[in-house]
Amino acid sequence: MNTTMKPMAVVTPPPRGLLRAWLQALATVLRDKGVLLLLIGAPVLYGFFYPWFYTDEVLTRVPVAVVDRDHTSLSRQITRLADADPRIEVRMVTAGEREAQEALWRGEIEGYALIPPNLKRSVVRGESAVVSIEANGAYALLNKAVQYGFAEAVGTVSAGVEIRKLQANGQSAPQARASRAPVQLQMVALFNPTEGYGSFVVPAVALLILQQTLLMGAAMLTGTWVESGQHRARATTWLGRLLALCTLGWASGLFYFGWIFVLHDYPRGGNPLGALALLACYIPAIAALGALLGLWMGNRERALQVLLFTTLPIAFVAGFSWPVEALPQPLQWLRWLLPSTSGVQASLRLNQLGAPLSAALPYLCVLVALGVLFMLALLCTARHRCVVAKSF
Amino acid sequence: MNSIVNSFHREARRLAVDPWDLAMVTWVPLLGVALLWWIFSAGLPRHLAVGVVDDDHSSLSRQLVRMLDATPGVQITQHFTSTAEAERALRAVEVYAVVTIPRDFARTVKEGHAAQVTLLHNAQMSTHSGLLQRDVRAAVGTLSAGIEMAARNKRGESAQAVQVSMEPIHTQMVALFNVSSNYEQFLGAALIPALLHILAMTAGAWTVGRELRDRTLGEWLGAGGWMRTAGALVGKLALPWAALTLVGLLALVGITWGRGWHSPGNLWWVAGALALLMAVSLTAGAALAGITRSLRTALSGAGFFAAPAFAFSGVAFPLAGMPGSARAWAEAMPYTHYIRLQIEQLQMGAPLATSVSTMVALLVATAALWLVGATALTLAHRRPDTWGGR
């Protein structure tokens, strides 16, 4: 790394045939540590690095507190049931709300339940009583775990009380249960049965990783060619070069679809042939866009400088972590110019949900259209530069 | 002192003649911030597509469908005649969830038995399914409570007594600090500094790395020496720091006061932390460039550290849910600490005392990275043969 590297030092005349152009571009990539790191190193590294944070998938035992101002068997029953809930863990029982609030600010707990004084007395007398659940709404997942964890504990205690009362009025146990909740809701989680966070986010982010690394690698390679004048080449040469970029991109794609998804046991393999068709359309569109960007920037390192921050906004218009329904209308249109938008949607359907190819066909068509568009733009720009160079 | 001023002027001249470099610390960050704000400006997703399989065709089942459709988060877009058809639509993501109402739904309820409605939701789209579970649960709960109340009224219980005995212990759910679950405040406010963090680290790596790539380290640092190099580094990073901090402060003021969001905490404190986050990111980028002596490697490194910083910061997925080693990594990243401080101030209204240590840590980290960067550059300055790496 500390030695002087000059990947563009030897200017060889651009090769003629498609096959030779492909081989020569592959050889260039293999000799260029920077491009190789982006095209091979980064996808492999991220394949392990990114899922590492979400290994546990589901949030369990979120620390909470119970502010018990009642001190009766009923309030202790609520505390016990809350502690038994897998979502939360009661770390502290106090009589003062202030203490719980301070623990919340210090980050020791993420929420607390407030059991009012005279809870049991109110219940016995048939008056209404309210247990207030205060969770940290600034963190969505923690909030959900605390709310549902406590609500279930309180609900169970409450239902027990009510059913006993109904039985006292002469109803049978099942009857009492039915008249308590005439309409019950059963919720079934499809495709990601444990509702794991990693299973949701990594398969979609994989498509973004594939796009961003290939985009930067292709633009860096093209930028280097521009610096040494090798971008002035015939159409066949350029097609060979794109094919070389695609070869590596396809390899990374297969690495994710075929191995990383399996390794981490993410929902996968719904429609393997469809997923291959997706890679066939997705990778060329990115490679052509990357080369086009490199041609425009004309500098080896510029692509990294300009593209690194774009991953964030691109992730949130792709339609997986943030519902498209909430995007402003112009963005709903503009986002289709990014290959990742169609790529994420098609991959979700083909890899995770196992939809037939027809369900993903519109996205594949968009990708093909983008690929053709970028490739034509690339060839035109390269030819134009070629002509300009000759006229000097 | 002289080295700071000289280096500052040199950087100003460079920015003035290179539109790309100027753009990357001025209007590009501004545009990026505006884009993120625009993405989340709706605040809350509405009208998520839901399908219905109504096997009952009763007035009660139609009432349930109407109630679901009236919920702001839900829009009933399709009626299916069979579960198979519904499943096909779920797989093609034409709908995010399907509510199935069984045959004899109304009759079961009328006879005093419990009837079951099923929500099939696409858990692979976690945000969508989370919102829908909440909304559908609320709608079904409302219907159920209405039926129970009517039944008891019929049996002669008074309305008030019914309300109490139906749910002896109520739960009142309070989402402290983000009452409406507003995503503009939750995600938008967290993503803007994350974006600036990436841009600042990139800018630090770029501005120092470029001197190495162009073999102009000698021109920039003059005779060299540790003191002079340390000063030159300050002078070089001052302009990008001021520009990016300014963009960050504009965004901070825009998303709070500008949107009529009066946060409970101290905005000045957040502004100070943001300025420190920009400083630590810039010096980290500069140190990377000094250590690797390659613009390209430094940029790759900046991307590796900064680009996923948001994903691992505990905002989207809590730190407590990560394995120990991954959590240690997350807690070594400055953004993780900054965003905790920002949330404490903007949302929770926590006392300043809880985040004094964060401020000190950001300051210490900046100083340490500055020392490392200056040392690495001093060493690099002595070896002109190692300049020019790509």
Side-chain angles (χ1 to χ4, degrees):
Chain A
M1 180 182 316
N2 291 338
T3 51
T4 333
M5 283 189 305
K6 291 180 200 155
M8 67 297 283
V10 191
V11 180
T12 42
R16 301 222 146 193
L18 182 70
L19 187 71
R20 282 189 49 204
W22 174 61
L23 287 173
Q24 192 166 355
L26 274 182
T28 312
V29 171
L30 289 179
R31 279 197 307 267
D32 188 331
K33 256 205 282 184
V35 177
L36 200 62
L37 183 70
L38 282 168
L39 292 184
I40 304 284
V44 171
L45 188 64
Y46 272 116
F48 295 98
F49 183 65
Y50 209 94
W52 179 38
F53 293 84
Y54 312 127
T55 317
D56 295 339
E57 292 271 4
V58 183
L59 203 54
T60 53
R61 300 160 68 85
V62 174
V64 293
V66 173
V67 179
D68 187 353
R69 292 207 186 124
D70 190 42
H71 298 295
T72 58
S73 58
L74 198 64
S75 72
R76 278 191 292 274
Q77 194 188 354
I78 291 176
T79 309
R80 234 182 2 258
L81 280 172
D83 200 36
D85 194 288
R87 276 171 285 211
I88 52 179
E89 181 183 332
V90 179
R91 285 271 174 89
M92 128 189 187
V93 181
T94 86
E97 191 178 356
R98 175 114 206 118
E99 255 174 89
Q101 207 144 37
E102 272 165 15
L104 193 69
W105 281 330
R106 283 196 303 270
E108 290 165 13
I109 57 165
E110 302 298 343
Y112 55 89
L114 197 62
I115 303 178
N118 304 327
L119 174 84
K120 190 172 185 186
R121 213 175 62 192
S122 311
V123 168
V124 169
R125 284 181 175 180
E127 293 165 7
S128 121
V130 178
V131 172
S132 159
I133 302 165
E134 322 246 337
N136 192 343
Y139 296 92
L141 280 180
L142 290 172
N143 183 35
K144 197 174 150 189
V146 174
Q147 302 270 16
Y148 287 162
F150 272 127
E152 222 166 73
V154 175
T156 310
V157 173
S158 175
V161 171
E162 193 191 350
I163 288 171
R164 274 199 299 278
K165 280 189 182 168
L166 289 170
Q167 281 176 304
N169 288 343
Q171 293 195 17
S172 72
Q175 234 178 352
R177 226 167 288 141
S179 70
R180 226 208 113 242
V183 183
Q184 285 161 2
L185 179 67
Q186 184 195 16
M187 299 202 268
V188 183
L190 298 175
F191 312 122
N192 177 8
T194 57
E195 298 188 60
Y197 185 80
S199 300
F200 143 62
V201 86
V202 180
V205 168
L207 274 288
L208 293 181
I209 293 173
L210 287 176
Q211 169 177 295
Q212 295 300 90
T213 53
L214 181 54
L215 217 48
M216 285 189 259
M220 179 185 280
L221 190 62
T222 317
T224 314
W225 280 330
V226 173
E227 286 182 16
S228 62
Q230 290 187 74
H231 63 295
R232 298 184 204 102
R234 313 160 147 264
T236 33
T237 311
W238 268 110
L239 289 178
R241 289 169 172 180
L242 285 179
L243 200 59
L245 286 168
C246 289
T247 310
L248 296 168
W250 282 322
S252 311
L254 289 175
F255 170 71
Y256 274 87
F257 288 6
W259 198 51
I260 289 293
F261 289 179
V262 179
L263 181 72
H264 299 287
D265 200 19
Y266 293 139
R268 64 183 181 270
N271 185 348
L273 287 177
L276 286 180
L278 163 63
L279 282 183
C281 305
Y282 187 51
I283 300 293
I286 302 168
L289 177 61
L292 193 61
L293 286 172
L295 212 53
W296 174 51
M297 293 170 182
N299 179 310
R300 180 170 164 81
E301 292 90 357
R302 189 71 76 186
L304 280 173
Q305 182 199 21
V306 175
L307 293 177
L308 277 177
F309 78 95
T310 57
T311 317
L312 271 191
I314 288 175
F316 287 91
V317 297
F320 68 98
S321 59
W322 181 240
V324 236
E325 286 82 353
L327 285 180
Q329 198 61 50
L331 276 182
Q332 296 203 18
W333 288 102
L334 286 173
R335 69 196 193 102
W336 293 108
L337 290 174
L338 299 164
S340 54
T341 306
S342 306
V344 167
Q345 292 299 328
S347 167
L348 171 76
R349 285 162 177 77
L350 297 170
N351 278 315
Q352 275 76 49
L353 311 187
L357 191 63
S358 60
L361 208 55
Y363 305 105
L364 300 192
C365 289
V366 172
L367 287 173
V368 170
L370 285 178
V372 170
L373 186 75
F374 295 145
M375 217 170 292
L376 287 177
L378 174 74
L379 294 180
C380 282
T381 319
R383 226 191 103 183
H384 176 71
R385 300 250 157 116
C386 203
V387 173
V388 170
K390 272 181 196 156
S391 67
F392 274 106
Chain B
M1 206 59 213
N2 220 6
S3 60
I4 300 182
V5 177
N6 287 342
S7 176
F8 182 86
H9 283 304
R10 181 184 165 81
E11 183 68 9
R13 277 197 304 276
R14 194 177 64 77
L15 286 176
V17 296
D18 192 327
W20 278 98
D21 285 10
L22 186 66
M24 287 309 292
V25 292
T26 52
W27 64 264
V28 169
L30 211 53
L31 205 69
V33 163
L35 177 64
L36 276 180
W37 168 77
W38 200 28
I39 289 175
F40 296 102
S41 56
L44 208 61
R46 284 168 200 279
H47 306 303
L48 299 179
V50 172
V52 169
V53 182
D54 183 357
D55 283 338
D56 193 40
H57 302 291
S58 62
S59 62
L60 188 66
S61 70
R62 279 191 293 274
Q63 189 190 345
L64 175 61
V65 173
R66 268 199 310 278
M67 283 172 77
L68 286 169
D69 202 27
T71 313
V74 178
Q75 187 170 24
I76 303 295
T77 54
Q78 294 193 53
H79 288 264
F80 304 109
T81 48
S82 70
T83 347
E85 207 182 304
E87 198 195 303
R88 190 199 50 75
L90 274 165
R91 270 187 206 286
V93 203
E94 286 167 25
V95 292
Y96 300 114
V98 170
V99 176
T100 62
I101 305 170
R103 198 184 296 274
D104 298 333
F105 172 66
R107 211 181 67 203
T108 315
V109 170
K110 209 169 182 180
E111 286 171 354
H113 301 296
Q116 195 168 55
V117 172
T118 307
L119 172 72
L120 306 164
H121 58 94
N122 182 347
Q124 190 59 42
M125 306 191 83
S126 169
T127 315
H128 304 68
S129 92
L131 291 165
L132 286 173
Q133 285 180 59
R134 192 190 61 190
D135 287 347
V136 171
R137 191 199 295 258
V140 172
T142 312
L143 179 75
S144 181
I147 295 168
E148 188 184 356
M149 207 176 281
R152 289 185 182 216
N153 278 335
K154 223 187 244 170
R155 287 202 298 268
E157 295 179 41
S158 81
Q160 177 137 38
V162 167
Q163 236 164 18
V164 174
S165 69
M166 255 173 61
E167 194 79 69
I169 311 170
H170 266 294
T171 50
Q172 180 188 19
M173 296 208 190
V174 186
L176 293 170
F177 321 129
N178 187 5
V179 182
S180 59
S181 307
N182 184 328
Y183 281 84
E184 181 186 341
Q185 293 172 10
F186 166 59
L187 274 176
L191 279 165
I192 287 170
L195 187 84
L196 292 172
H197 171 55
I198 304 174
L199 283 164
M201 204 144 156
T202 314
W206 182 267
T207 187
V208 172
R210 216 187 128 143
E211 303 280 8
L212 280 153
R213 183 195 68 181
D214 299 344
R215 301 169 199 271
T216 48
L217 204 64
E219 251 175 66
W220 171 40
L221 296 176
W226 192 86
M227 285 298 283
R228 194 169 293 133
T229 306
L233 193 55
V234 173
K236 195 164 193 47
L237 299 180
L239 267 179
W241 174 79
L244 288 166
T245 304
L246 191 66
V247 173
L249 295 185
L250 277 177
L252 182 65
V253 169
I255 206 165
T256 52
W257 296 342
R259 300 283 287 169
W261 172 28
H262 297 286
S263 62
N266 189 327
L267 217 52
W268 292 107
W269 191 247
V270 181
L274 188 60
L276 280 177
L277 178 71
M278 293 300 102
V280 79
S281 318
L282 277 162
T283 42
L288 268 175
I291 293 166
T292 62
R293 295 186 197 176
S294 151
L295 172 60
R296 197 257 314 152
T297 317
L299 286 171
S300 294
F304 180 72
F305 288 112
F310 173 79
F312 309 146
S313 66
V315 175
F317 188 76
L319 295 177
M322 295 175 187
S325 50
R327 186 176 178 165
W329 173 284
E331 290 193 343
M333 295 292 118
Y335 176 77
T336 307
H337 298 276
Y338 165 80
I339 199 61
R340 172 82 200 173
L341 180 147
Q342 181 187 302
I343 288 171
E344 275 175 4
Q345 290 308 314
L346 292 192
Q347 263 119 354
M348 299 164 66
L352 295 187
T354 53
S355 48
V356 170
S357 59
T358 306
M359 286 293 227
V360 174
L362 285 175
L363 206 59
V364 169
T366 308
L369 286 166
W370 174 58
L371 296 179
V372 169
T375 310
L377 283 170
T378 312
L379 294 176
H381 183 261
R382 288 191 201 140
R383 295 277 312 275
D385 57 307
T386 60
W387 303 350
R390 305 294 298 266

